[in-house]
């Protein structure tokens, strides 16, 4: 192959890598309102889970700590929003609000079910 052919192949690979890197990350979005009637209960649960995860030796704000805490708060919401693409060190967590919205939906459903019985 000539140098021009190799250059074209290389340029094509660079362009493809950029396209893959720019692909939009998608996940299920849940609405979260911090003034929701159950938001205080959620915050209490988050604080309890944070404490448990720190006692297990996870350094605050580390990926391991965040994952531990989210799993503790709601394994179902964690599986739905994080299991397919775990957080990485240094990554900004764009799914945080959706996670909280998911948990609030679960809490709402449990509250409605308890009132119905």
């Amino acid at each position: 192959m000539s140098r021009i052919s190799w250059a074209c192949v290389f340029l094509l690979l660079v362009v493809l890598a950029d396209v893959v890197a720019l692909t939009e990350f998608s996940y299920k979005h849940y609405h979260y309102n911090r003034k929701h009637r159950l938001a205080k209960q959620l915050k209490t649960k988050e604080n309890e889970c944070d404490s448990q995860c720190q006692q297990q030796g996870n350094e605050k704000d580390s990926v391991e700590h965040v994952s531990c805490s989210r799993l503790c708060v709601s394994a179902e919401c964690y599986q739905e929003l994080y299991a397919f693409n775990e957080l990485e060190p240094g990554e900004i967590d764009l799914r945080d609000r959706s996670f909280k919205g998911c948990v609030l939906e679960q809490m709402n459903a449990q509250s409605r079910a308890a009132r119905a019985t």
Side-chain angles (χ1 to χ4, degrees):
M1 269 181 140
S2 69
R3 284 186 175 176
I4 294 175
S5 298
W6 281 111
C8 288
V9 169
F10 178 76
L11 183 60
L12 180 63
L13 289 174
V14 169
V15 170
L16 284 174
D18 284 343
V19 169
V20 169
L22 294 176
T23 302
E24 186 176 322
F25 179 71
S26 67
Y27 55 92
K28 185 165 181 180
H29 292 270
Y30 289 91
H31 177 72
Y32 170 69
N33 180 357
R34 64 185 173 92
K35 294 183 180 184
H36 189 279
R37 65 182 180 83
L38 296 172
K40 274 188 173 180
Q41 287 179 321
L42 171 58
K43 188 65 179 166
T44 300
K45 180 70 173 169
E46 286 177 324
N47 290 338
E48 290 170 2
C49 289
D50 277 346
S51 294
Q52 287 177 13
C53 291
Q54 277 185 303
Q55 289 173 359
Q56 294 174 6
N58 292 315
E59 187 176 314
K60 184 91 170 136
D61 296 329
S62 69
V63 172
E64 294 80 15
H65 177 81
V66 172
S67 295
C68 173
S69 182
R70 300 265 161 79
L71 271 168
C72 172
V73 171
S74 172
E76 295 84 12
C77 291
Y78 182 87
Q79 289 299 318
E80 184 173 347
L81 293 167
Y82 292 97
F84 67 95
N85 188 346
E86 299 273 337
L87 283 176
E88 297 175 6
E91 179 181 354
I92 296 172
D93 186 7
L94 300 175
R95 297 170 276 185
D96 180 52
R97 290 183 65 80
S98 284
F99 178 79
K100 290 177 180 181
C102 176
V103 175
L104 285 178
E105 277 190 21
Q106 280 185 340
M107 293 170 83
N108 251 342
Q110 290 169 352
S111 177
R112 281 192 303 268
R115 282 183 289 190
T117 57

